Amino acid sequence: MTKSIVLVAVMGVAWLGCSARADVATEESALLEADRAFARAVADSGANGWTAYFASDGVMFRPGGTVIGSDSIRAMATAWFADDTFSLTWGPTHAEVSPEGTLGYTYGRYQSSGTDSAGNPTISTGSYLTVWRKQPDGSWKVAADIGSPDR
């Protein structure tokens, strides 16, 4: 009888462990699409699109320092998009998701353009890494974002 109880308990724990694992390939596809949707939202809505995809405690790593939280991220994005010549585009080339399907990251290439203080056109390209956290409603939100400009 004791062996049966132990066997049932072990099988239950094994089943729970398996059920807690996500379909990683499906989640990676979903994460790539979330990143693409993020880029479309920014193209359509500027600062509002940018801010909408960040978690409330999201972090941006920028040359001038770390920007933390929705209010600070919104303020930075609003300043970027106040310049009507500014644009930011990107595309993910890879995604990975944790076995549990709760954390993931994407990376790819970006391009920003605008004008400098003298009114000259500028273009900057580089690579980015975005860390995503799955939300209780199943959506993905940006937990951390960092861009690295090309030389």
Side-chain angles (χ1 to χ4, degrees):
M1 178 75 163
T2 304
K3 287 182 182 181
S4 296
I5 292 171
V6 170
L7 179 60
V8 168
V10 168
M11 289 175 58
V13 169
W15 180 82
L16 286 174
C18 290
S19 68
R21 296 183 73 80
D23 178 349
V24 173
T26 298
E27 290 298 335
E28 287 173 351
S29 292
L31 191 52
L32 284 168
E33 181 49 38
D35 199 342
R36 291 182 192 112
F38 181 22
R40 288 190 302 271
V42 169
D44 293 343
S45 303
N48 288 333
W50 180 265
T51 307
Y53 273 80
F54 272 83
S56 61
D57 60 348
V59 178
M60 290 173 45
F61 296 93
R62 295 294 174 245
T66 305
V67 181
I68 302 172
S70 296
D71 293 339
S72 298
I73 289 169
R74 179 176 297 283
M76 176 167 272
T78 299
W80 290 343
F81 289 97
D83 175 358
D84 62 359
T85 67
F86 178 76
S87 72
L88 176 62
T89 59
W90 70 90
T93 57
H94 185 77
E96 285 200 32
V97 174
S98 68
E100 300 78 22
T102 56
L103 286 174
Y105 66 87
T106 54
Y107 62 79
R109 300 283 299 161
Y110 74 85
Q111 178 177 310
S112 65
S113 60
T115 55
D116 64 17
S117 59
N120 299 312
T122 62
I123 294 177
S124 175
T125 59
S127 299
Y128 73 91
L129 173 74
T130 303
V131 178
W132 298 79
R133 185 180 326 123
K134 195 163 199 181
Q135 303 301 296
D137 68 0
S139 67
W140 289 95
K141 293 284 186 176
V142 176
D145 180 69
I146 187 167
S148 177
D150 294 335
R151 292 188 184 255

